[in-house]
Amino acid sequence: MSRTVPSPRLGFLYPGHAAEDDYPLLGRMIDPPAEVHLVHTGFLEDTHTVEALSEMGSLPRLQKGAEALADSGIESVLWTSTSASFVLGLDGIRQQIDALEKALGVPASTTAMAFARAITAINANSVAIAATYPEDVAQRFCQFLDHFDINVVHVSSRGIVTAAEVGELEKDDVIEFAVANSHNDADALLIPDTALHSAAWLPDIESATGKPVLTANQVSFWEALRLCGKLTPQRGLGRLFEEIP
């Protein structure tokens, strides 16, 4: 007799408005469907600069967002901004995770940490990065991955300043961007911005590039499931979800 896995109850803190609709979509795409609780957090400025991202990912911002998830019954929580975690370095990320776990009493993580774990899960030693960020922010992501001995063989910076603009990119734009940065020496391609839509297009992006692709919203959802012990193989969500270690 097969064991029935109860529906996951997942919490996500998402800065502003861009591609947040990926999360309820991902919740409907998995079996069994997930109960998604998403809270929008605030910031002073929608711009991909180290200063603005540091403010966006500050502990008061996260703690205020966590208050809206209290008593929601979630089993894990993710701070879903890649850049507003890695720009703070590993110590800053640890503080973000600690603050969320203390506030909500459930396992927590960030999208940046989700990338590091997902890369390990698919046994990728070398990666290429297709970043929508300006170059200085993209280089911070490379520095973050270096802590985990992940070899970056290629990085591209599209130079888009605001999350709102990233969220307007259509399927063809995303696939073209992915293909242009799919490096022969890379085991996987990373697309690290949670402002970028990707959930509905994961099989198409992987088919076009011919290799595993990890996107920010995909790895965030994967990490939330992993944290609450309800990560199971799924179809249509990329190779990351096909085989669960």
Side-chain angles (χ1 to χ4, degrees):
M1 182 180 296
S2 62
R3 183 173 66 91
T4 301
V5 178
S7 294
R9 301 186 305 277
L10 311 175
F12 299 96
L13 298 180
Y14 189 96
H17 298 265
E20 69 274 17
D21 49 329
D22 266 6
Y23 291 91
L25 175 58
L26 286 162
R28 296 190 298 270
M29 291 172 71
I30 67 167
D31 183 22
E35 183 180 309
V36 172
H37 297 260
L38 188 140
V39 170
H40 296 276
T41 60
F43 47 79
L44 291 179
E45 187 178 5
D46 177 17
T47 180
H48 285 136
T49 66
V50 172
E51 294 75 18
L53 292 167
S54 297
E55 191 280 330
M56 183 185 294
S58 64
L59 297 186
R61 291 290 188 193
L62 270 62
Q63 288 163 340
K64 184 174 181 180
E67 291 174 4
L69 288 172
D71 303 318
S72 62
I74 58 171
E75 300 169 282
S76 63
V77 62
L78 256 288
W79 165 232
T80 58
S81 174
T82 324
S83 54
S85 51
F86 68 67
V87 296
L88 299 173
L90 283 180
D91 287 341
I93 291 172
R94 291 189 184 103
Q95 291 174 20
Q96 290 176 331
I97 292 171
D98 185 60
L100 291 176
E101 290 186 340
K102 286 181 177 178
L104 293 167
V106 298
S109 189
T110 75
T111 304
M113 286 302 302
F115 267 109
R117 292 182 175 126
I119 292 165
T120 299
I122 63 171
N123 297 313
N125 297 313
S126 298
V127 301
I129 298 172
T132 53
Y133 317 127
E135 184 176 356
D136 62 331
V137 176
Q139 288 300 324
R140 292 267 185 135
F141 186 46
C142 296
Q143 293 167 16
F144 166 76
L145 295 177
D146 188 56
H147 287 292
F148 303 92
D149 296 323
I150 297 166
N151 181 33
V152 177
V153 297
H154 170 79
V155 59
S156 173
S157 305
R158 189 148 176 169
I160 300 178
V161 176
T162 70
E165 184 180 351
V166 173
E168 293 175 355
L169 294 175
E170 300 287 348
K171 177 181 178 179
D172 289 346
D173 296 320
V174 175
I175 291 179
E176 181 181 351
F177 185 48
V179 170
N181 293 286
S182 181
H183 196 277
N184 289 337
D185 295 333
D187 300 320
L189 174 68
L190 315 185
I191 307 178
D193 197 342
T194 55
L196 188 75
H197 287 95
S198 66
W201 313 325
L202 290 165
D204 296 316
I205 301 172
E206 288 196 334
S207 177
T209 59
K211 63 183 59 194
V213 174
L214 301 178
T215 74
N217 294 332
Q218 172 206 33
V219 301
S220 298
F221 201 83
W222 176 88
E223 177 81 329
L225 289 168
R226 188 192 68 82
L227 286 175
C228 69
K230 293 182 177 178
L231 181 60
T232 57
Q234 304 287 336
R235 294 183 178 181
L237 296 179
R239 276 181 256 183
L240 175 63
F241 276 87
E242 290 176 2
E243 296 183 10
I244 306 304

